[in-house]
Amino acid sequence: MQENALSYDTVVNYFGTETIQERFKYLYDKMQEYINERSQQGKLVVNEDILQQLVMDYFTDVYRLKEFHKIEHINITKIVAYEVFWILRRKPLQIQSESSDSKLVFANEGFATTFIAHELLVPEETEPLSSDKEAEFLKFLQHINYHLKYRNVDKQCLEVMLYSFEVGKFIS
């Protein structure tokens, strides 16, 4: 049985260089924002080579998904789950060698948690949460962060976790 090899050229031709570069820039900017908001400049850096690999892995997965299921678009939950999976797998946020801040050890998991919150869980058009709901939401984010740090996660696990939260918003 011969396996069909998938090249990055196929993926780039399918999505286009501009789309891939835009995703790279978007994630890079989000990671820089994460670093800046925590005043970690000089301690934490985005490794651009690793980020490029992450972006290509993400687009390769999406390409395979679209081709296998013969679909044109995938939902936001799947997009975020796949991106977070590759962030956790590749770890593009790197600690500078001269830094010894133990808080930085889980920088990629911390970034992934805030990325999930911003991309999926707190859309801009959402009304502000009451203090009780905000406390519940922060507890949920702490649980996600713990899960991302200490549990084995795959794309499907992340997708069902995020989808369950979306369903919970409608039910409550």
Side-chain angles (χ1 to χ4, degrees):
M1 178 182 208
Q2 179 147 358
E3 186 177 318
N4 292 334
L6 176 63
S7 74
Y8 284 147
D9 290 340
T10 303
V11 174
V12 171
N13 288 335
Y14 182 86
F15 290 102
T17 304
E18 186 176 326
T19 299
I20 293 170
Q21 288 173 340
E22 286 173 4
R23 179 64 60 176
F24 175 91
K25 182 177 178 352
Y26 180 74
L27 289 172
Y28 181 87
D29 290 347
K30 285 288 189 185
M31 289 177 185
Q32 279 302 136
E33 184 179 309
Y34 178 83
I35 291 168
N36 294 339
E37 286 176 353
R38 284 152 187 76
S39 301
Q40 298 296 343
Q41 305 89 328
K43 294 180 181 180
L44 204 55
V45 65
V46 179
N47 183 305
E48 293 183 27
D49 293 332
I50 294 173
L51 181 57
Q52 183 62 43
Q53 183 64 50
L54 175 162
V55 169
M56 290 308 299
D57 290 336
Y58 162 77
F59 277 107
T60 300
D61 276 353
V62 172
Y63 174 82
R64 287 180 177 140
L65 181 74
K66 287 180 163 194
E67 287 296 302
F68 182 79
H69 292 290
K70 306 293 185 226
I71 56 176
E72 191 172 330
H73 301 287
I74 61 174
N75 63 49
I76 187 66
T77 305
K78 193 176 295 293
I79 290 169
V80 173
Y82 279 42
E83 285 177 330
V84 166
F85 172 80
W86 285 110
I87 289 166
L88 297 174
R89 182 77 182 258
R90 295 293 179 215
K91 300 197 181 297
L93 291 174
Q94 301 284 301
I95 301 171
Q96 295 289 77
S97 60
E98 51 280 344
S99 179
S100 63
D101 188 345
S102 63
K103 289 187 245 175
L104 300 177
V105 171
F106 293 110
N108 289 284
E109 293 80 359
F111 171 76
T113 303
T114 61
F115 184 74
I116 289 169
H118 286 103
E119 293 299 307
L120 191 60
L121 307 179
V122 210
E124 290 181 20
E125 61 273 358
T126 302
E127 292 182 30
L129 297 173
S130 68
S131 58
D132 290 343
K133 292 286 185 187
E134 183 177 2
E136 287 178 37
F137 180 66
L138 292 175
K139 185 176 177 183
F140 177 73
L141 288 179
Q142 287 174 339
H143 179 74
I144 286 178
N145 188 257
Y146 178 87
H147 192 80
L148 298 180
K149 286 179 185 177
Y150 302 112
R151 301 289 184 247
N152 293 324
V153 294
D154 62 16
K155 294 167 261 197
Q156 294 77 20
C157 169
L158 288 165
E159 183 180 0
V160 80
M161 180 192 319
L162 300 175
Y163 188 70
S164 296
F165 183 81
E166 285 292 307
V167 170
K169 288 189 328 188
F170 296 116
I171 294 173
S172 64

